[in-house]
Amino acid sequence: MKPISALVVDDEAPARRRLVDLLAKDDDVGGILEAINGVDAVAKIEESKPDVVFLDVQMPGVDGLGVIDAIGADKMPITVFVTAYERFALKAFEADAVDYLLKPFGDSRYQSTMARVKKRLLELRSDDAEELDPFGPELLKLVAKRSMPGQLWDWLVIKERDTTRLILTDDIDWIEAAGVYVNVHAKGDEFLYRGGLAAVAERLDPFRFVRIHRSTIVNLRSVALLERRSHGEFTVKLKDGTELVMSRTYRADFEAMLGQPL
């Protein structure tokens, strides 16, 4: 195999060093580059065109998917997503990314990931390469949504008689069903939004919001702790003191968001 060039993108130096050390031990790997943030990653992908990029999902400023937005999904190298706690156990991403590494990962997990990378690289270097994409259709759809204003909401528009209120989705702590509408809880205030829970869920960033009950969506960043209840349920305590119930039905979704069991 032609030597593999790799780019490791992570804003945390220890995490970069861990991957660089593993890659350096691989006889099939040639050059290894490092990027400390999304902007740095975009520049190095465009300049060096590595064969594979290990891309941290959560970074300040331009995050992992922001890098894909900037480069263009069709121009990205083979990509392995790296995450500490977001829901990268989701089936769509398991199917569409070449692989993902959940921090902290062991040597055997890295080895299985590199086996998939090498297999994919051989496919892309074959005569049928034009028919292949680094990503599958579900991930491409999400990237397309993020790159199109309004597809995934950064703001929620609340209409109140003669006024229109804009609520930053980052400020939303949780959302509850209220008949055919929903109540949005943000920074201690409550607002009625005239839309159903399922429709709202489709427009929220799946890396931040998770459904914990048939009538409740929560922003993971607002969660302070969880307390085990009976029959597989949990009490979800938010940072503002609010207590919600996570049903057994949605526990798997929450665990996927965390990337580890409760």
Side-chain angles (χ1 to χ4, degrees), residues 56-68:
D56 188 18
V57 176
Q58 295 295 328
M59 294 182 289
V62 179
D63 63 8
L65 290 181
V67 171
I68 299 173

Side-chain angles (χ1 to χ4, degrees), residues 144-156:
K145 276 187 174 183
R146 286 173 60 98
S147 65
M148 296 172 61
Q151 292 301 303
L152 286 181
W153 287 337
D154 291 318
W155 301 88
L156 191 65

Side-chain angles (χ1 to χ4, degrees), residues 20 28 42 49 74 95 113 120 140 143 151 198 236 244:
V20 168
D28 291 327
V42 170
K49 295 180 172 51
D74 59 331
T113 293
R120 186 64 165 172
L140 287 172
V143 171
Q151 292 301 303
V236 180
L244 307 171

Side-chain angles (χ1 to χ4, degrees), residues 130-144:
E130 293 183 0
E131 300 177 7
L132 299 173
D133 291 311
F135 307 108
E138 292 302 318
L139 185 56
L140 287 172
K141 283 192 290 186
L142 178 58
V143 171

Side-chain angles (χ1 to χ4, degrees), residues 51-244:
D51 295 313
V52 58
V53 56
F54 291 83
L55 185 60
D56 188 18
V57 176
Q58 295 295 328
M59 294 182 289
V62 179
D63 63 8
L65 290 181
V67 171
I68 299 173
D69 290 344
I71 296 294
D74 59 331
K75 297 179 181 178
M76 280 292 293
I78 292 175
T79 301
V80 176
F81 293 101
V82 184
T83 180
Y85 54 88
E86 296 288 1
R87 57 172 175 177
F88 254 65
L90 284 173
K91 292 181 180 179
F93 293 92
E94 287 183 8
D96 295 321
V98 168
D99 207 344
Y100 70 95
L101 289 172
L102 187 65
K103 302 175 187 177
F105 54 87
D107 290 3
S108 60
R109 183 71 181 88
Y110 163 81
Q111 293 294 343
S112 64
T113 293
M114 281 305 293
R116 294 184 69 178
V117 168
K118 292 174 185 180
K119 179 177 181 294
R120 186 64 165 172
L121 190 55
L122 285 173
E123 292 172 345
L124 289 171
R125 289 174 175 174
S126 72
D127 294 336
D128 298 326
E130 293 183 0
E131 300 177 7
L132 299 173
D133 291 311
F135 307 108
E138 292 302 318
L139 185 56
L140 287 172
K141 283 192 290 186
L142 178 58
V143 171
K145 276 187 174 183
R146 286 173 60 98
S147 65
M148 296 172 61
Q151 292 301 303
L152 286 181
W153 287 337
D154 291 318
W155 301 88
L156 191 65
V157 178
I158 304 290
K159 297 181 180 180
E160 302 169 323
R161 293 190 178 181
D162 297 327
T163 63
T164 298
R165 186 185 302 272
L166 298 181
I167 299 176
L168 189 65
T169 53
D170 285 351
D171 292 336
I172 296 174
D173 295 311
W174 63 290
I175 301 171
E176 63 177 331
V180 296
Y181 300 142
V182 296
N183 285 325
V184 178
H185 299 264
K187 290 190 170 182
D189 291 323
E190 181 178 330
F191 307 94
L192 180 68
Y193 179 79
R194 289 175 172 79
L197 192 69
V200 172
E202 283 289 320
R203 307 300 289 274
L204 295 174
D205 192 331
F207 294 93
R208 298 184 182 180
F209 292 88
V210 60
R211 199 161 181 169
I212 61 171
H213 191 275
R214 61 184 178 83
S215 61
T216 312
I217 296 171
V218 69
N219 185 341
L220 184 62
R221 297 180 182 180
S222 298
V223 176
L225 59 90
L226 296 93
E227 292 182 349
R228 191 180 299 274
R229 295 160 55 111
S230 60
H231 307 297
E233 293 187 342
F234 282 79
T235 296
V236 180
K237 292 189 175 182
L238 305 188
K239 294 173 183 177
D240 66 1
T242 300
E243 294 189 4
L244 307 171

Side-chain angles (χ1 to χ4, degrees), residues 226 228 234 246 251 254-255 258 260-262:
L226 296 93
R228 191 180 299 274
F234 282 79
M246 179 168 60
R251 175 178 170 177
F254 198 90
E255 289 177 329
L258 297 175
Q260 53 193 306
L262 296 173

